[in-house]
């Protein structure tokens, strides 16, 4: 069995929250090279997030693998502090490593599987958004026949998939089958502030896709930047084809994130070299790196959105950004109240608490439930 581990953290960037400094990428490469147990690795960034893409045979949630990632992030933080990079050590929320980086700041997406005769995988890296940004594209890849022709045409894909959905407010999860329970799946994952697709499986239990679901603000109890998730999707031969996995990104759907993690904006599919959110700290970006696995070796990457067929999505994303930006500080550009809970806005609102006075009974009745 091979494990593909993608572990990421924002440990400082330049200029502002824009992009990872090349020194940090070099340090991470140097550190990972020293490892005795990694089969292969690839280090890159998406905006201000440093991504470690690693293969090994140690399984998911492995202490050594997570410990290695933790050490890399600590080394990089040290250098980021030396250069006075912005937000140096930003996502390192815990003071010491305790066996698993989950719940300590970094984001984690890991899949363990038997490598097939040929194993194409796509690693999605995002910046200035939250794990729920993948709800719509994941649903379209694995459940929407208007996106994935294989759901109609290919008997192996036609049977559908299983979705594991997390309720991040209650820390609960549920497994639902598609197409049988498609409307139930949608009833949950449309509420992106609460429900997140964490894993997708084939009906026989074979893992197909995973998203890092860590919520930084919930862990820290305050605003500390967006989660900027990573995801892994296996493709072809009984799974959605590479083109079916990329197709959802031809539509730049609205996601939470953007400036101060407090605004809705269109996700922009970009090449690795364009993954530096700049306009209004955005628009939110997604990069797709394609690899062929060969006995755990990462053959690639191919920069999948570095293609003119995504030009129109990028153009639409710019147009939608213009439209959304003209709302300024108003909803729905500004996030909903429950999602703003962990931003810096409550601090501002609190100052006015004492100045509010109760409405007289005659008026307040208009805002209360009628007692029968
Ligand atoms: C969003 C993000 C940025 C910052 C913004 C303010 O995820 O990281 O939009 O929220 O640049 O940053 P501070 O508060 O560090 O000045
Ligand atoms: Mg940052
Ligand atoms: Mg980021």
């Amino acid at each position: 069995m091979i494990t593909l581990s993608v572990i990421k953290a924002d440990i400082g960037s330049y200029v502002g929250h824009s992009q990872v400094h090349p020194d940090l990428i070099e340090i991470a490469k140097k550190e990972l090279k020293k490892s005795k147990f990694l089969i292969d690795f690839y280090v890159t960034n998406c905006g201000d997030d440093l991504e470690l893409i690693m293969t090994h045979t140690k399984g998911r949630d492995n202490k050594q693998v997570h410990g290695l990632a933790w050490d890399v992030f600590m080394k990089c933080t040290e250098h980021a502090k030396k250069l006075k990079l912005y937000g140096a050590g930003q996502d390192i929320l815990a003071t010491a490593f305790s066996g698993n980086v989950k719940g300590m700041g970094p984001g984690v997406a890991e899949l363990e599987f038997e490598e097939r005769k040929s194993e194409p995988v796509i690693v999605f890296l995002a910046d200035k958004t939250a794990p729920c940004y993948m709800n719509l594209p994941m649903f379209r890849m694995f459940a929407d026949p208007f996106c994935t022709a294989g759901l109609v045409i290919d008997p192996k894909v036609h049977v559908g998939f299983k979705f594991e959905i997390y309720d991040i407010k209650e820390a609960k999860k549920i497994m639902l089958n598609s197409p049988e329970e498609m409307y139930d799946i949608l009833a949950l994952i449309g509420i992106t502030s609460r429900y997140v697709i964490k894993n997708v499986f084939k009906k026989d239990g074979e893992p197909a896709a995973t998203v890092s679901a860590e919520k930084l603000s919930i862990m820290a109890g305050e605003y500390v930047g967006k989660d900027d998730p990573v995801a892994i999707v296996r493709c072809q031969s009984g799974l959605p084809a590479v083109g079916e996995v990329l197709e959802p990104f031809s539509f730049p759907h609205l996601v939470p994130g953007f400036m101060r993690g407090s605004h809705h904006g269109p996700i922009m599919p970009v090449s690795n070299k364009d993954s530096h959110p700049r306009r209004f700290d955005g628009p939110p970006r997604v990069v797709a790196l394609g690899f062929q696995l060969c006995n755990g070796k990462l053959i690639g990457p191919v920069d999948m959105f570095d293609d003119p067929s995504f030009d129109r999505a990028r153009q639409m994303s710019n147009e939608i950004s213009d439209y959304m930006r003209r709302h300024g500080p108003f909803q729905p550009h500004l996030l909903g109240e429950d999602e703003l809970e962990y931003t810096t806005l409550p601090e501002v609102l609190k100052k006015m608490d004492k100045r509010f006075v109760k409405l007289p009974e005659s008026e307040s009745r208009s805002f209360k439930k009628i007692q029968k």
Side-chain angles (χ1 to χ4, degrees):
M1 295 278 257
I2 292 287
T3 307
L4 176 56
S5 297
V6 185
I7 306 188
K8 53 93 21 187
D10 175 348
I11 31 89
S13 53
Y14 83 140
V15 175
H17 292 284
S18 184
Q19 66 198 62
V20 172
H21 192 281
D23 280 6
L24 303 193
I25 295 183
E26 283 315 308
I27 292 169
K29 280 184 191 165
K30 211 173 106 199
E31 290 304 310
L32 291 186
K33 217 175 250 170
K34 289 183 199 161
S35 149
K36 297 264 185 300
F37 54 83
L38 290 186
I39 303 174
D40 204 0
F41 66 84
Y42 186 76
V43 179
T44 189
N45 77 299
C46 181
D48 58 5
D49 295 278
L50 178 68
E51 266 97 13
L52 315 177
I53 302 171
M54 303 170 285
T55 52
H56 53 92
T57 52
K58 297 203 168 283
R60 292 157 59 224
D61 291 321
N62 179 269
K63 194 174 170 178
Q64 271 176 292
V65 176
H66 283 228
L68 176 66
W70 181 261
D71 291 343
V72 171
F73 293 142
M74 296 310 276
K75 280 253 158 61
C76 290
T77 297
E78 220 174 274
H79 191 71
K81 283 185 175 158
K82 254 189 228 152
L83 294 183
K84 287 180 72 178
L85 294 180
Y86 200 68
Q90 179 183 295
D91 287 0
I92 304 301
L93 305 179
T95 43
F97 179 65
S98 61
N100 192 310
V101 291
K102 276 186 195 157
M104 300 175 81
V108 184
E110 297 185 295
L111 277 188
E112 187 182 18
F113 50 85
E114 206 69 65
E115 193 179 289
R116 294 169 293 168
K117 204 169 81 192
S118 184
E119 185 66 60
V121 294
I122 297 181
V123 177
F124 288 96
L125 319 170
D127 191 29
K128 306 292 184 268
T129 188
C132 67
Y133 98 97
M134 262 298 205
N135 282 11
L136 187 150
M138 279 283 192
F139 177 83
R140 295 207 63 213
M141 289 170 207
F142 289 99
D144 179 2
F146 282 77
C147 171
T148 295
L151 290 165
V152 180
I153 296 174
D154 179 348
K156 288 192 282 200
V157 183
H158 192 80
V159 292
F161 295 91
K162 295 197 287 190
F163 287 78
E164 189 173 53
I165 299 162
Y166 279 17
D167 172 346
I168 55 167
K169 288 232 164 93
E170 296 277 330
K172 291 193 295 202
K173 62 180 181 180
I174 184 171
M175 188 79 89
L176 292 170
N177 288 298
S178 172
E180 306 89 304
E181 299 171 301
M182 182 191 280
Y183 299 154
D184 295 316
I185 293 171
L186 285 171
L188 295 177
I189 65 169
I191 306 170
T192 48
S193 55
R194 176 157 186 175
Y195 300 99
V196 172
I197 296 175
K198 172 67 185 166
N199 294 303
V200 182
F201 299 93
K202 284 175 78 165
K203 283 281 169 66
D204 63 8
E206 176 83 4
T210 189
V211 185
S212 67
E214 285 71 28
K215 290 293 287 180
L216 270 175
S217 50
I218 296 179
M219 292 185 281
E222 58 175 354
Y223 177 67
V224 281
K226 267 298 187 212
D227 319 304
D228 305 334
V230 281
I232 305 170
V233 182
R234 297 171 72 198
C235 313
Q236 307 285 155
S237 307
L239 290 164
V242 166
E244 291 165 339
V245 169
L246 299 179
E247 175 64 12
F249 296 95
S250 62
F251 168 61
H253 63 294
L254 290 174
V255 301
F258 221 159
M259 175 56 77
R260 298 180 184 276
S262 310
H263 295 81
H264 286 117
I267 189 93
M268 183 186 264
V270 290
S271 69
N272 212 176
K273 72 169 173 23
D274 288 332
S275 67
H276 41 237
R278 292 196 179 146
R279 178 185 180 186
F280 201 55
D281 286 1
R285 310 279 158 128
V286 56
V287 168
L289 298 183
F291 295 95
Q292 285 288 147
L293 290 190
C294 177
N295 306 319
K297 286 269 175 208
L298 292 159
I299 310 297
V302 173
D303 193 347
M304 306 304 279
F305 290 141
D306 186 10
D307 185 89
S309 63
F310 289 95
D311 281 352
R312 190 158 148 65
R314 292 188 269 268
Q315 187 194 331
M316 271 166 75
S317 176
N318 277 328
E319 280 161 18
I320 298 164
S321 293
D322 284 342
Y323 174 82
M324 296 301 283
R325 284 299 305 120
R326 287 183 68 180
H327 292 80
F330 286 81
Q331 290 177 339
H333 186 23
L334 189 70
L335 297 186
E337 202 183 342
D338 54 340
E339 286 178 281
L340 288 168
E341 188 186 336
Y342 289 110
T343 67
T344 44
L345 187 64
E347 262 175 72
V348 176
L349 299 179
K350 211 169 151 211
K351 280 199 302 197
M352 286 174 281
D353 265 0
K354 287 204 179 84
R355 295 179 59 186
F356 274 100
V357 289
K358 280 215 153 53
L359 288 176
E361 175 62 21
S362 57
E363 272 198 80
S364 67
R365 284 166 61 194
S366 311
F367 310 111
K368 284 181 186 156
K369 195 173 173 212
I370 296 171
Q371 300 297 324
K372 286 182 194 150

